[in-house]
Amino acid sequence: MMYKELYGIACDMIPRAYAPFSKFKVGAALLSKDGQVFTGCNVENSSFGATICAERTAFVKAISEGTTEFEAIAIVSSEGEAWPCGICRQFMKEFCDEDFKIITGDDENSLKVYTMEEILPEGFRL
Ligand code: THU
């Protein structure tokens, strides 16, 4: 699958975001090594710390359905490009190798692509 296509699927998830507090809506599309796409959006909560980011929504959906090997994730927000927070970087690190790709950008013609190693160098694993 092309990165642009994955990015487009992430864009389609923005309206599903539940973000009444921050108003910052995020969509994600996670591509597994066997070619499946798992989508996600951020889901906020009145108790702010209970909020789940779009990326983790997608990962939890995939893992709970039995898929644990991943190729890439596209992320986009209602404000354009969006980079994973520190918690999401660590969460991804648990399941992704150094070559896993993180894709974002303001539009499909200005995508930025980084690897897991680039966004979380020397990341922690037990
Ligand atoms: N958020 C995500 O869903 N993913 C990111 O990459 C950055 C932040 C969400 C969490 C919260 O609902 C809102 O964006 C503002 O922090």
Side-chain angles (χ1 to χ4, degrees):
M1 172 177 289
M2 301 296 292
Y3 292 160
K4 278 187 184 185
E5 193 180 345
L6 199 62
Y7 179 87
I9 297 169
C11 289
D12 291 343
M13 290 303 292
I14 291 175
R16 301 248 180 109
Y18 177 74
F21 307 107
S22 73
K23 318 278 189 217
F24 189 78
K25 297 184 170 196
V26 185
L30 174 63
L31 177 65
S32 65
K33 286 196 171 165
D34 62 2
Q36 299 181 77
V37 176
F38 296 88
T39 55
C41 62
N42 54 332
V43 183
E44 297 186 347
N45 192 275
S46 297
S47 178
F48 299 160
T51 292
I52 304 172
C53 292
E55 298 91 319
R56 276 178 289 145
T57 303
F59 270 89
V60 169
K61 283 170 69 177
I63 293 156
S64 62
E65 294 296 323
T67 297
T68 55
E69 295 191 343
F70 305 105
E71 194 86 36
I73 190 168
I75 309 153
V76 61
S77 80
S78 45
E79 312 290 321
E81 73 176 49
W83 293 101
C85 74
I87 293 172
C88 286
R89 291 177 195 215
Q90 178 62 32
F91 199 93
M92 290 177 195
K93 173 78 184 170
E94 188 71 24
F95 302 97
C96 300
D97 58 30
E98 294 178 348
D99 293 334
F100 177 77
K101 304 288 191 304
I102 296 93
I103 302 152
T104 188
D106 285 335
D107 60 68
E108 66 166 28
N109 294 314
S110 53
L111 296 183
K112 297 177 182 175
V113 183
Y114 286 84
T115 65
M116 185 75 241
E117 177 63 16
E118 287 171 325
I119 69 160
L120 190 65
E122 311 288 356
F124 175 72
R125 254 192 205 159
L126 277 178

